[in-house]
Amino acid sequence: MNAQPQIFGTYLFDGAAAQRGYALNKMCYSFNSAANREAFLAGEEGYMRAYGLNEAQAQAIRARDVLGLLHAGGNVYYLAKFAGILKLDVQDLGAAQTGVSKDEFKARLVAQNNQPDHL
Amino acid sequence: MARILGALTTSHVPAIGGALARGAQDEPYWKPFFDGFKPVRAWLDEVKPDVAVVFYNDHGLNFFLDKLPTFAVGAAKQYVNEDEGWGIPSLPPIPGIPELSWAIIERLVASDFDVTTCQEMLVDHAFTLPLKLFWPETFQTIVTVPVCINTVQFPLPSAKRCIALGREIGEAVAAWNSDKKVVMVGSGGLSHQLEGERAGFINKPFDLAFMRSLIDDPEWAAQYTIPQLVEKTGTQGVELLMWLAARAAVPGAVREVHRNYHIPISNTAAGTMAMAAKDLIATE
């Protein structure tokens, strides 16, 4: 068995996270439907209560706090649907999580072209 | 017997769907990505596949955490694409081919892959974008078998296991009593990470080595555990499992038809490959 790496700034969405984040992720999964997205925007607090979010999850939703949502058990595939409601794309999310502006985040991505071609 | 033409692989960022809907293929940001498909389409125009077996990962359209299969095989007459929450226009339903789906399911279960079977299955961008990219005008003429591999919730199946899955599916297709021509499609990767303080992670040398390995040494990536693959490619880069399964579904050696690699599309190192099966080489 190979040793498993500890990876900086990386959250593996495992069974513990899947249990912790179930209500939050279920709410975000509901945002596949346009009607549900509208219902959320029409009354965020009531919508969160209907899905049974805990206080940490609700607070992270209120604050649009991406890292807080991850810590509260959010899975990025579902959180992306919440971000969609806010008209945010994954580069907005990346900038928010890494503490840089969106333009800086995009520039960082382009700069990855300078990596070597060979391992 | 059915004939396996080869494998096609590509990244599947949702923003590609937005670019297609806007007709942005020739914009400077998008052109290096979309141009990578032109030689692949030229090859497809020559070899003319009838069927695509599509290895992809669902992003929370069909499957939620209430019931989340590790491996799921579609067995429907058609697959419906729906809004994933971003309002990107959805495609009309994509035709299925239950006869081949069941041949694959029977072979998989007989070889100890206890898969979930789906007679209704919504398909998301990871399934539809490759069809639109490889067959922009004619994607509805290709009949499909979706094979969904879980990359949402850990533990994920190992690289070795995904290769074994692909190999059995290749055997099932090769044994299928049909005159159809089949291509394997792998949708996902390459290196990228959406979440956490490491968001934006890209590993160009690993991606390029991985692409080369599909031609020269298709089990190279199986030396790594899933957490090691996450470390090397990012939490979503691990979607390269789809490429491994698609490549493994082509028996024997392959010839590279084309490859393209471009950083970045959205947060992703975008890769595209087309590989022709060895027995196809013999007849060329």
Side-chain angles (χ1 to χ4, degrees), chain A residues 2 4 7-11 13 18 22 26 29 32 37 70 75-77 80-81 90-91 97-98 105 109 113 115-118, chain B residues 59-61 64 66 83-86 151-154 193-198 202 204-205 212 225 227-228 236 239 263 266-267:
Chain A
N2 294 316
Q4 302 302 345
I7 313 166
F8 161 78
T10 298
Y11 308 90
F13 185 77
Y22 194 83
K26 188 168 181 179
Y29 178 66
N32 280 324
R37 299 197 290 272
L70 291 175
N75 176 291
V76 73
Y77 290 125
K81 301 173 194 295
V90 290
Q91 293 167 349
Q97 294 173 100
T98 56
F105 186 76
L109 289 164
N113 282 296
Q115 291 184 22
D117 286 351
H118 289 276
Chain B
H59 299 67
L61 179 66
F64 181 61
D66 57 339
D83 186 2
E84 296 173 55
W86 310 301
T151 60
V152 171
Q153 176 180 274
F154 290 74
Q193 175 156 336
L194 300 179
E195 74 274 50
E197 292 85 345
R198 201 172 76 135
I202 280 174
K204 179 181 169 188
R212 285 192 297 271
T225 65
Q228 287 170 334
Q236 284 73 43
E239 293 168 347
I263 302 171
S266 193
N267 288 18

Short mmCIF file of all heavy atoms in Angstrom, two decimals, chain A residues 2 4 7-11 13 18 22 26 29 32 37 70 75-77 80-81 90-91 97-98 105 109 113 115-118, chain B residues 59-61 64 66 83-86 151-154 193-198 202 204-205 212 225 227-228 236 239 263 266-267:
data_model
loop_
_atom_site.label_atom_id
_atom_site.label_comp_id
_atom_site.label_asym_id
_atom_site.label_seq_id
_atom_site.Cartn_x
_atom_site.Cartn_y
_atom_site.Cartn_z
N ASN A 2 0.64 2.11 -0.95
CA ASN A 2 1.40 3.35 -1.01
C ASN A 2 0.91 4.32 0.07
O ASN A 2 -0.25 4.32 0.43
CB ASN A 2 1.20 4.02 -2.37
CG ASN A 2 1.79 3.19 -3.49
OD1 ASN A 2 2.89 2.68 -3.36
ND2 ASN A 2 1.05 3.04 -4.57
N GLN A 4 -0.51 7.63 1.55
CA GLN A 4 -1.44 8.59 0.96
C GLN A 4 -0.96 10.01 1.26
O GLN A 4 -0.61 10.32 2.39
CB GLN A 4 -2.85 8.37 1.52
CG GLN A 4 -3.39 6.97 1.27
CD GLN A 4 -3.44 6.59 -0.21
OE1 GLN A 4 -3.34 7.43 -1.09
NE2 GLN A 4 -3.58 5.30 -0.49
N ILE A 7 -2.53 16.73 1.05
CA ILE A 7 -2.46 17.68 -0.06
C ILE A 7 -2.92 19.05 0.42
O ILE A 7 -4.06 19.19 0.89
CB ILE A 7 -3.32 17.21 -1.25
CG1 ILE A 7 -3.05 15.74 -1.56
CG2 ILE A 7 -3.04 18.08 -2.47
CD1 ILE A 7 -4.08 15.11 -2.47
N PHE A 8 -2.08 20.04 0.26
CA PHE A 8 -2.40 21.40 0.66
C PHE A 8 -3.71 21.88 0.01
O PHE A 8 -3.93 21.67 -1.18
CB PHE A 8 -1.26 22.35 0.25
CG PHE A 8 -1.68 23.79 0.21
CD1 PHE A 8 -1.81 24.52 1.38
CD2 PHE A 8 -1.99 24.42 -1.01
CE1 PHE A 8 -2.24 25.85 1.35
CE2 PHE A 8 -2.41 25.75 -1.05
CZ PHE A 8 -2.53 26.46 0.14
N GLY A 9 -4.56 22.52 0.82
CA GLY A 9 -5.73 23.21 0.28
C GLY A 9 -6.69 22.35 -0.49
O GLY A 9 -7.36 22.82 -1.41
N THR A 10 -6.75 21.07 -0.11
CA THR A 10 -7.54 20.11 -0.89
C THR A 10 -8.43 19.32 0.06
O THR A 10 -7.95 18.83 1.09
CB THR A 10 -6.59 19.16 -1.65
OG1 THR A 10 -5.82 19.95 -2.55
CG2 THR A 10 -7.35 18.10 -2.43
N TYR A 11 -9.71 19.20 -0.29
CA TYR A 11 -10.66 18.51 0.56
C TYR A 11 -11.24 17.34 -0.22
O TYR A 11 -11.95 17.55 -1.19
CB TYR A 11 -11.79 19.46 0.97
CG TYR A 11 -11.27 20.75 1.56
CD1 TYR A 11 -11.01 21.85 0.75
CD2 TYR A 11 -11.01 20.85 2.92
CE1 TYR A 11 -10.51 23.03 1.28
CE2 TYR A 11 -10.53 22.02 3.47
CZ TYR A 11 -10.26 23.11 2.64
OH TYR A 11 -9.78 24.27 3.17
N PHE A 13 -13.90 14.75 -0.74
CA PHE A 13 -15.28 14.64 -0.30
C PHE A 13 -15.57 13.18 0.02
O PHE A 13 -16.03 12.42 -0.81
CB PHE A 13 -16.21 15.18 -1.39
CG PHE A 13 -17.65 15.22 -0.98
CD1 PHE A 13 -18.13 16.22 -0.14
CD2 PHE A 13 -18.53 14.26 -1.42
CE1 PHE A 13 -19.46 16.25 0.25
CE2 PHE A 13 -19.87 14.28 -1.05
CZ PHE A 13 -20.32 15.28 -0.21
N ALA A 18 -19.66 13.71 3.25
CA ALA A 18 -20.95 13.45 2.60
C ALA A 18 -22.08 13.41 3.63
O ALA A 18 -23.20 13.83 3.34
CB ALA A 18 -20.90 12.15 1.81
N TYR A 22 -24.84 16.71 3.93
CA TYR A 22 -25.96 16.17 3.16
C TYR A 22 -27.05 17.21 2.87
O TYR A 22 -27.48 17.38 1.73
CB TYR A 22 -26.55 14.94 3.86
CG TYR A 22 -27.48 14.15 2.97
CD1 TYR A 22 -26.97 13.22 2.09
CD2 TYR A 22 -28.86 14.37 2.98
CE1 TYR A 22 -27.81 12.49 1.25
CE2 TYR A 22 -29.70 13.65 2.15
CZ TYR A 22 -29.18 12.71 1.29
OH TYR A 22 -30.00 12.01 0.45
N LYS A 26 -27.98 18.66 -0.69
CA LYS A 26 -29.31 18.36 -1.23
C LYS A 26 -29.99 19.65 -1.68
O LYS A 26 -30.65 19.69 -2.73
CB LYS A 26 -30.15 17.63 -0.17
CG LYS A 26 -31.46 17.13 -0.72
CD LYS A 26 -32.13 16.15 0.24
CE LYS A 26 -33.45 15.67 -0.38
NZ LYS A 26 -34.12 14.72 0.48
N TYR A 29 -28.35 20.64 -4.92
CA TYR A 29 -28.80 19.73 -5.99
C TYR A 29 -30.17 20.18 -6.52
O TYR A 29 -30.44 20.09 -7.72
CB TYR A 29 -28.86 18.31 -5.42
CG TYR A 29 -29.35 17.23 -6.35
CD1 TYR A 29 -28.62 16.88 -7.48
CD2 TYR A 29 -30.53 16.53 -6.10
CE1 TYR A 29 -29.06 15.86 -8.33
CE2 TYR A 29 -30.98 15.52 -6.94
CZ TYR A 29 -30.24 15.19 -8.05
OH TYR A 29 -30.67 14.19 -8.88
N ASN A 32 -30.80 22.52 -9.73
CA ASN A 32 -30.89 22.13 -11.14
C ASN A 32 -32.16 22.69 -11.78
O ASN A 32 -32.20 22.94 -12.98
CB ASN A 32 -30.91 20.59 -11.28
CG ASN A 32 -29.53 19.98 -11.17
OD1 ASN A 32 -28.54 20.55 -11.63
ND2 ASN A 32 -29.44 18.80 -10.57
N ARG A 37 -34.51 27.52 -8.18
CA ARG A 37 -33.57 28.66 -8.07
C ARG A 37 -34.34 29.94 -7.75
O ARG A 37 -33.94 30.74 -6.91
CB ARG A 37 -32.77 28.81 -9.37
CG ARG A 37 -31.95 27.59 -9.71
CD ARG A 37 -30.87 27.87 -10.74
NE ARG A 37 -31.29 28.13 -12.10
CZ ARG A 37 -31.48 27.18 -13.04
NH1 ARG A 37 -31.35 25.91 -12.73
NH2 ARG A 37 -31.82 27.52 -14.27
N LEU A 70 -17.32 24.58 1.98
CA LEU A 70 -16.55 23.33 1.90
C LEU A 70 -16.37 22.73 3.30
O LEU A 70 -16.56 21.54 3.51
CB LEU A 70 -15.18 23.58 1.27
CG LEU A 70 -15.15 23.92 -0.21
CD1 LEU A 70 -13.71 24.25 -0.63
CD2 LEU A 70 -15.69 22.78 -1.06
N ASN A 75 -20.03 19.92 -1.39
CA ASN A 75 -19.28 19.30 -2.49
C ASN A 75 -19.31 20.27 -3.67
O ASN A 75 -20.36 20.81 -4.02
CB ASN A 75 -19.94 17.98 -2.89
CG ASN A 75 -19.25 17.35 -4.09
OD1 ASN A 75 -19.33 17.86 -5.20
ND2 ASN A 75 -18.57 16.24 -3.86
N VAL A 76 -18.17 20.47 -4.28
CA VAL A 76 -18.06 21.54 -5.28
C VAL A 76 -18.98 21.32 -6.47
O VAL A 76 -19.45 22.28 -7.08
CB VAL A 76 -16.59 21.73 -5.73
CG1 VAL A 76 -16.14 20.59 -6.63
CG2 VAL A 76 -16.41 23.08 -6.39
N TYR A 77 -19.27 20.07 -6.81
CA TYR A 77 -20.16 19.84 -7.96
C TYR A 77 -21.57 20.40 -7.66
O TYR A 77 -22.24 20.91 -8.54
CB TYR A 77 -20.27 18.35 -8.28
CG TYR A 77 -19.03 17.72 -8.88
CD1 TYR A 77 -18.45 16.60 -8.30
CD2 TYR A 77 -18.45 18.23 -10.03
CE1 TYR A 77 -17.33 15.99 -8.86
CE2 TYR A 77 -17.33 17.64 -10.60
CZ TYR A 77 -16.78 16.52 -10.01
OH TYR A 77 -15.68 15.91 -10.56
N ALA A 80 -21.44 24.39 -7.17
CA ALA A 80 -21.37 25.12 -8.45
C ALA A 80 -22.76 25.55 -8.90
O ALA A 80 -22.91 26.56 -9.61
CB ALA A 80 -20.71 24.25 -9.52
N LYS A 81 -23.77 24.81 -8.49
CA LYS A 81 -25.14 25.18 -8.86
C LYS A 81 -25.61 26.39 -8.04
O LYS A 81 -26.36 27.23 -8.54
CB LYS A 81 -26.08 23.98 -8.68
CG LYS A 81 -25.63 22.78 -9.54
CD LYS A 81 -26.43 21.53 -9.25
CE LYS A 81 -25.76 20.30 -9.85
NZ LYS A 81 -25.69 20.28 -11.31
N VAL A 90 -16.53 29.33 -12.16
CA VAL A 90 -15.53 28.65 -11.32
C VAL A 90 -14.26 29.49 -11.13
O VAL A 90 -13.50 29.26 -10.20
CB VAL A 90 -15.17 27.26 -11.89
CG1 VAL A 90 -16.36 26.31 -11.72
CG2 VAL A 90 -14.70 27.31 -13.32
N GLN A 91 -14.08 30.49 -11.99
CA GLN A 91 -12.93 31.38 -11.78
C GLN A 91 -13.22 32.38 -10.67
O GLN A 91 -12.32 32.74 -9.91
CB GLN A 91 -12.54 32.06 -13.08
CG GLN A 91 -12.00 31.01 -14.05
CD GLN A 91 -11.87 31.50 -15.46
OE1 GLN A 91 -12.35 32.57 -15.82
NE2 GLN A 91 -11.21 30.71 -16.27
N GLN A 97 -11.43 31.66 -3.20
CA GLN A 97 -10.81 30.67 -2.30
C GLN A 97 -9.32 30.89 -2.13
O GLN A 97 -8.72 30.43 -1.16
CB GLN A 97 -11.05 29.26 -2.82
CG GLN A 97 -12.51 28.84 -2.80
CD GLN A 97 -12.72 27.51 -3.48
OE1 GLN A 97 -12.84 26.50 -2.82
NE2 GLN A 97 -12.74 27.50 -4.80
N THR A 98 -8.71 31.54 -3.11
CA THR A 98 -7.26 31.71 -3.06
C THR A 98 -6.87 33.13 -2.66
O THR A 98 -5.68 33.45 -2.59
CB THR A 98 -6.61 31.33 -4.40
OG1 THR A 98 -7.21 32.12 -5.45
CG2 THR A 98 -6.82 29.86 -4.72
N PHE A 105 -6.35 35.57 -10.68
CA PHE A 105 -6.54 34.11 -10.75
C PHE A 105 -6.42 33.63 -12.19
O PHE A 105 -5.76 32.62 -12.47
CB PHE A 105 -7.91 33.75 -10.15
CG PHE A 105 -8.14 32.27 -10.05
CD1 PHE A 105 -7.52 31.52 -9.05
CD2 PHE A 105 -8.97 31.61 -10.95
CE1 PHE A 105 -7.72 30.14 -8.96
CE2 PHE A 105 -9.17 30.24 -10.87
CZ PHE A 105 -8.55 29.51 -9.86
N LEU A 109 -3.63 31.06 -14.04
CA LEU A 109 -3.93 29.89 -14.88
C LEU A 109 -3.12 29.95 -16.18
O LEU A 109 -2.49 28.96 -16.58
CB LEU A 109 -5.42 29.84 -15.21
CG LEU A 109 -6.33 29.46 -14.03
CD1 LEU A 109 -7.79 29.82 -14.34
CD2 LEU A 109 -6.22 27.97 -13.73
N ASN A 113 1.19 27.67 -18.34
CA ASN A 113 1.84 27.26 -19.59
C ASN A 113 3.36 27.24 -19.47
O ASN A 113 4.04 26.59 -20.27
CB ASN A 113 1.44 28.23 -20.72
CG ASN A 113 0.05 27.92 -21.24
OD1 ASN A 113 -0.19 26.85 -21.80
ND2 ASN A 113 -0.89 28.83 -21.03
N GLN A 115 5.04 25.89 -17.18
CA GLN A 115 5.54 24.64 -16.59
C GLN A 115 6.31 23.85 -17.65
O GLN A 115 6.03 23.97 -18.84
CB GLN A 115 4.38 23.79 -16.07
CG GLN A 115 3.66 24.36 -14.87
CD GLN A 115 2.58 23.40 -14.37
OE1 GLN A 115 2.61 22.21 -14.64
NE2 GLN A 115 1.61 23.95 -13.65
N PRO A 116 7.24 23.01 -17.20
CA PRO A 116 8.00 22.21 -18.17
C PRO A 116 7.11 21.18 -18.87
O PRO A 116 6.04 20.83 -18.39
CB PRO A 116 9.05 21.50 -17.29
CG PRO A 116 8.47 21.50 -15.92
CD PRO A 116 7.64 22.75 -15.81
N ASP A 117 7.59 20.69 -20.00
CA ASP A 117 6.84 19.69 -20.76
C ASP A 117 7.04 18.28 -20.22
O ASP A 117 6.26 17.38 -20.52
CB ASP A 117 7.28 19.70 -22.24
CG ASP A 117 6.73 20.91 -22.97
OD1 ASP A 117 5.89 21.62 -22.39
OD2 ASP A 117 7.15 21.16 -24.11
N HIS A 118 8.12 18.08 -19.47
CA HIS A 118 8.44 16.71 -19.04
C HIS A 118 8.51 16.61 -17.52
O HIS A 118 8.94 17.55 -16.86
CB HIS A 118 9.75 16.23 -19.68
CG HIS A 118 9.60 15.98 -21.14
ND1 HIS A 118 9.13 14.80 -21.66
CD2 HIS A 118 9.82 16.79 -22.21
CE1 HIS A 118 9.08 14.88 -22.98
NE2 HIS A 118 9.49 16.08 -23.34
N HIS B 59 -22.19 15.08 -12.71
CA HIS B 59 -21.86 16.18 -11.79
C HIS B 59 -23.06 16.59 -10.95
O HIS B 59 -23.23 17.76 -10.63
CB HIS B 59 -21.39 17.40 -12.57
CG HIS B 59 -20.15 17.19 -13.38
ND1 HIS B 59 -20.10 16.36 -14.46
CD2 HIS B 59 -18.91 17.71 -13.26
CE1 HIS B 59 -18.88 16.37 -14.98
NE2 HIS B 59 -18.14 17.18 -14.27
N GLY B 60 -23.95 15.65 -10.63
CA GLY B 60 -25.11 16.02 -9.83
C GLY B 60 -26.27 16.45 -10.70
O GLY B 60 -26.95 17.43 -10.39
N LEU B 61 -26.49 15.74 -11.82
CA LEU B 61 -27.72 15.93 -12.57
C LEU B 61 -28.60 14.70 -12.40
O LEU B 61 -29.73 14.78 -11.95
CB LEU B 61 -27.44 16.19 -14.06
CG LEU B 61 -28.74 16.37 -14.88
CD1 LEU B 61 -29.49 17.62 -14.47
CD2 LEU B 61 -28.46 16.37 -16.38
N PHE B 64 -27.63 11.78 -7.11
CA PHE B 64 -27.32 12.55 -5.90
C PHE B 64 -26.74 11.59 -4.86
O PHE B 64 -26.63 10.38 -5.10
CB PHE B 64 -28.59 13.27 -5.40
CG PHE B 64 -28.33 14.09 -4.16
CD1 PHE B 64 -27.42 15.14 -4.20
CD2 PHE B 64 -28.97 13.79 -2.96
CE1 PHE B 64 -27.14 15.87 -3.05
CE2 PHE B 64 -28.70 14.53 -1.82
CZ PHE B 64 -27.79 15.57 -1.86
N ASP B 66 -28.01 10.45 -2.32
CA ASP B 66 -28.95 9.47 -1.75
C ASP B 66 -28.71 8.08 -2.32
O ASP B 66 -28.82 7.08 -1.62
CB ASP B 66 -30.41 9.91 -1.97
CG ASP B 66 -30.75 10.12 -3.44
OD1 ASP B 66 -29.82 10.32 -4.26
OD2 ASP B 66 -31.94 10.07 -3.77
N ASP B 83 -31.15 21.07 -17.78
CA ASP B 83 -30.49 22.19 -17.12
C ASP B 83 -29.76 21.70 -15.87
O ASP B 83 -30.33 20.99 -15.05
CB ASP B 83 -31.56 23.21 -16.74
CG ASP B 83 -31.00 24.50 -16.16
OD1 ASP B 83 -29.77 24.64 -16.08
OD2 ASP B 83 -31.82 25.37 -15.81
N GLU B 84 -28.50 22.09 -15.76
CA GLU B 84 -27.71 21.69 -14.58
C GLU B 84 -27.61 22.82 -13.56
O GLU B 84 -26.83 22.75 -12.62
CB GLU B 84 -26.30 21.28 -15.01
CG GLU B 84 -26.29 20.06 -15.89
CD GLU B 84 -24.91 19.77 -16.45
OE1 GLU B 84 -23.97 19.65 -15.64
OE2 GLU B 84 -24.76 19.67 -17.68
N GLY B 85 -28.36 23.90 -13.82
CA GLY B 85 -28.36 24.98 -12.85
C GLY B 85 -27.78 26.27 -13.40
O GLY B 85 -27.79 27.28 -12.72
N TRP B 86 -27.25 26.22 -14.62
CA TRP B 86 -26.60 27.41 -15.17
C TRP B 86 -27.36 27.99 -16.35
O TRP B 86 -26.92 28.96 -16.95
CB TRP B 86 -25.16 27.09 -15.58
CG TRP B 86 -24.42 26.38 -14.50
CD1 TRP B 86 -24.19 26.84 -13.23
CD2 TRP B 86 -23.84 25.07 -14.55
NE1 TRP B 86 -23.51 25.89 -12.50
CE2 TRP B 86 -23.28 24.81 -13.28
CE3 TRP B 86 -23.73 24.10 -15.55
CZ2 TRP B 86 -22.62 23.61 -12.98
CZ3 TRP B 86 -23.09 22.92 -15.25
CH2 TRP B 86 -22.54 22.67 -13.99
N THR B 151 -17.04 10.20 -9.61
CA THR B 151 -15.90 10.99 -9.12
C THR B 151 -16.38 12.06 -8.14
O THR B 151 -15.64 13.00 -7.84
CB THR B 151 -15.12 11.67 -10.27
OG1 THR B 151 -16.00 12.54 -10.99
CG2 THR B 151 -14.51 10.66 -11.22
N VAL B 152 -17.61 11.93 -7.66
CA VAL B 152 -18.17 12.92 -6.75
C VAL B 152 -17.76 12.62 -5.31
O VAL B 152 -17.28 13.48 -4.58
CB VAL B 152 -19.71 12.94 -6.86
CG1 VAL B 152 -20.34 13.80 -5.76
CG2 VAL B 152 -20.14 13.45 -8.23
N GLN B 153 -17.98 11.39 -4.90
CA GLN B 153 -17.82 11.02 -3.49
C GLN B 153 -16.74 9.96 -3.35
O GLN B 153 -16.81 8.91 -4.00
CB GLN B 153 -19.18 10.49 -2.99
CG GLN B 153 -19.16 9.97 -1.56
CD GLN B 153 -20.54 9.48 -1.17
OE1 GLN B 153 -21.39 10.24 -0.73
NE2 GLN B 153 -20.78 8.19 -1.34
N PHE B 154 -15.76 10.23 -2.50
CA PHE B 154 -14.70 9.27 -2.25
C PHE B 154 -15.21 8.22 -1.27
O PHE B 154 -16.01 8.56 -0.40
CB PHE B 154 -13.48 9.98 -1.68
CG PHE B 154 -12.79 10.84 -2.69
CD1 PHE B 154 -13.34 12.05 -3.08
CD2 PHE B 154 -11.60 10.43 -3.26
CE1 PHE B 154 -12.71 12.84 -4.03
CE2 PHE B 154 -10.96 11.23 -4.21
CZ PHE B 154 -11.52 12.42 -4.60
N GLN B 193 -8.46 21.73 -10.56
CA GLN B 193 -9.03 21.66 -9.22
C GLN B 193 -9.88 22.89 -8.99
O GLN B 193 -9.40 24.01 -9.15
CB GLN B 193 -7.92 21.57 -8.17
CG GLN B 193 -8.46 21.61 -6.74
CD GLN B 193 -7.53 20.95 -5.73
OE1 GLN B 193 -6.72 20.09 -6.08
NE2 GLN B 193 -7.64 21.33 -4.48
N LEU B 194 -11.14 22.67 -8.65
CA LEU B 194 -12.08 23.78 -8.49
C LEU B 194 -12.13 24.30 -7.07
O LEU B 194 -12.42 25.47 -6.85
CB LEU B 194 -13.49 23.34 -8.92
CG LEU B 194 -13.63 22.86 -10.36
CD1 LEU B 194 -15.07 22.43 -10.63
CD2 LEU B 194 -13.21 23.94 -11.34
N GLU B 195 -11.89 23.43 -6.08
CA GLU B 195 -12.18 23.83 -4.71
C GLU B 195 -10.94 23.84 -3.83
O GLU B 195 -9.97 23.15 -4.09
CB GLU B 195 -13.25 22.91 -4.08
CG GLU B 195 -12.77 21.53 -3.70
CD GLU B 195 -12.84 20.54 -4.83
OE1 GLU B 195 -12.34 20.86 -5.92
OE2 GLU B 195 -13.37 19.44 -4.63
N GLY B 196 -11.06 24.66 -2.77
CA GLY B 196 -10.01 24.72 -1.76
C GLY B 196 -8.96 25.77 -2.11
O GLY B 196 -8.98 26.40 -3.17
N GLU B 197 -8.02 25.93 -1.19
CA GLU B 197 -6.97 26.93 -1.38
C GLU B 197 -6.03 26.54 -2.53
O GLU B 197 -5.24 27.36 -2.98
CB GLU B 197 -6.16 27.09 -0.08
CG GLU B 197 -6.95 27.73 1.07
CD GLU B 197 -7.77 26.72 1.88
OE1 GLU B 197 -7.96 25.57 1.40
OE2 GLU B 197 -8.25 27.08 2.97
N ARG B 198 -6.09 25.30 -2.97
CA ARG B 198 -5.28 24.87 -4.11
C ARG B 198 -6.03 25.01 -5.44
O ARG B 198 -5.58 24.53 -6.47
CB ARG B 198 -4.80 23.42 -3.91
CG ARG B 198 -3.57 23.08 -4.75
CD ARG B 198 -2.99 21.70 -4.41
NE ARG B 198 -3.76 20.60 -4.96
CZ ARG B 198 -3.25 19.54 -5.59
NH1 ARG B 198 -1.93 19.43 -5.76
NH2 ARG B 198 -4.02 18.58 -6.04
N ILE B 202 -2.78 23.11 -11.77
CA ILE B 202 -2.62 22.47 -13.09
C ILE B 202 -1.24 21.82 -13.10
O ILE B 202 -0.29 22.36 -12.54
CB ILE B 202 -2.77 23.53 -14.22
CG1 ILE B 202 -4.26 23.81 -14.47
CG2 ILE B 202 -2.08 23.07 -15.51
CD1 ILE B 202 -4.53 24.93 -15.45
N LYS B 204 1.05 20.45 -15.92
CA LYS B 204 1.30 20.23 -17.36
C LYS B 204 2.20 19.03 -17.63
O LYS B 204 1.87 18.20 -18.49
CB LYS B 204 1.89 21.52 -17.93
CG LYS B 204 2.24 21.48 -19.40
CD LYS B 204 2.83 22.85 -19.79
CE LYS B 204 3.45 22.85 -21.16
NZ LYS B 204 4.17 24.12 -21.42
N PRO B 205 3.35 18.89 -16.93
CA PRO B 205 4.20 17.73 -17.27
C PRO B 205 3.50 16.40 -17.02
O PRO B 205 3.69 15.45 -17.79
CB PRO B 205 5.44 17.89 -16.37
CG PRO B 205 5.12 18.96 -15.39
CD PRO B 205 4.01 19.79 -15.96
N ARG B 212 0.82 10.78 -23.42
CA ARG B 212 1.75 9.88 -24.13
C ARG B 212 1.53 8.43 -23.69
O ARG B 212 1.61 7.50 -24.49
CB ARG B 212 3.20 10.29 -23.84
CG ARG B 212 3.68 11.53 -24.58
CD ARG B 212 5.21 11.70 -24.47
NE ARG B 212 5.65 11.91 -23.10
CZ ARG B 212 5.75 13.11 -22.51
NH1 ARG B 212 5.45 14.20 -23.17
NH2 ARG B 212 6.17 13.21 -21.27
N THR B 225 -2.34 5.60 -6.65
CA THR B 225 -3.62 5.50 -5.94
C THR B 225 -4.47 6.71 -6.31
O THR B 225 -3.96 7.71 -6.87
CB THR B 225 -3.42 5.51 -4.42
OG1 THR B 225 -2.90 6.79 -4.04
CG2 THR B 225 -2.47 4.40 -3.98
N PRO B 227 -5.78 9.00 -4.18
CA PRO B 227 -5.25 10.23 -3.56
C PRO B 227 -3.97 10.74 -4.24
O PRO B 227 -3.75 11.94 -4.35
CB PRO B 227 -4.98 9.80 -2.11
CG PRO B 227 -5.97 8.70 -1.88
CD PRO B 227 -6.03 7.95 -3.18
N GLN B 228 -3.14 9.82 -4.72
CA GLN B 228 -1.94 10.27 -5.44
C GLN B 228 -2.32 10.94 -6.77
O GLN B 228 -1.71 11.94 -7.16
CB GLN B 228 -1.00 9.09 -5.70
CG GLN B 228 -0.29 8.64 -4.43
CD GLN B 228 0.45 7.32 -4.61
OE1 GLN B 228 0.09 6.48 -5.45
NE2 GLN B 228 1.48 7.12 -3.82
N GLN B 236 -10.46 17.42 -9.51
CA GLN B 236 -11.25 17.08 -10.70
C GLN B 236 -10.37 16.47 -11.81
O GLN B 236 -10.88 15.82 -12.71
CB GLN B 236 -12.01 18.30 -11.23
CG GLN B 236 -13.24 18.67 -10.41
CD GLN B 236 -12.89 19.30 -9.08
OE1 GLN B 236 -12.01 20.15 -8.99
NE2 GLN B 236 -13.56 18.88 -8.01
N GLU B 239 -10.65 12.90 -12.98
CA GLU B 239 -11.54 12.46 -14.07
C GLU B 239 -10.78 11.78 -15.21
O GLU B 239 -11.40 11.20 -16.11
CB GLU B 239 -12.32 13.65 -14.64
CG GLU B 239 -13.31 14.27 -13.69
CD GLU B 239 -13.84 15.61 -14.18
OE1 GLU B 239 -13.28 16.19 -15.14
OE2 GLU B 239 -14.80 16.11 -13.59
N ILE B 263 -3.82 25.13 -22.17
CA ILE B 263 -4.05 25.72 -20.85
C ILE B 263 -4.36 27.21 -21.05
O ILE B 263 -3.59 27.90 -21.71
CB ILE B 263 -2.78 25.62 -19.96
CG1 ILE B 263 -2.34 24.16 -19.80
CG2 ILE B 263 -3.02 26.27 -18.62
CD1 ILE B 263 -0.98 24.03 -19.12
N SER B 266 -11.39 27.74 -18.91
CA SER B 266 -11.93 27.92 -17.56
C SER B 266 -10.79 27.63 -16.58
O SER B 266 -9.70 28.19 -16.75
CB SER B 266 -13.15 27.02 -17.38
OG SER B 266 -13.87 27.35 -16.24
N ASN B 267 -10.97 26.73 -15.61
CA ASN B 267 -9.88 26.42 -14.67
C ASN B 267 -9.10 25.17 -15.06
O ASN B 267 -8.37 24.62 -14.24
CB ASN B 267 -10.47 26.15 -13.27
CG ASN B 267 -10.98 27.40 -12.61
OD1 ASN B 267 -11.21 28.41 -13.27
ND2 ASN B 267 -11.17 27.35 -11.31
#
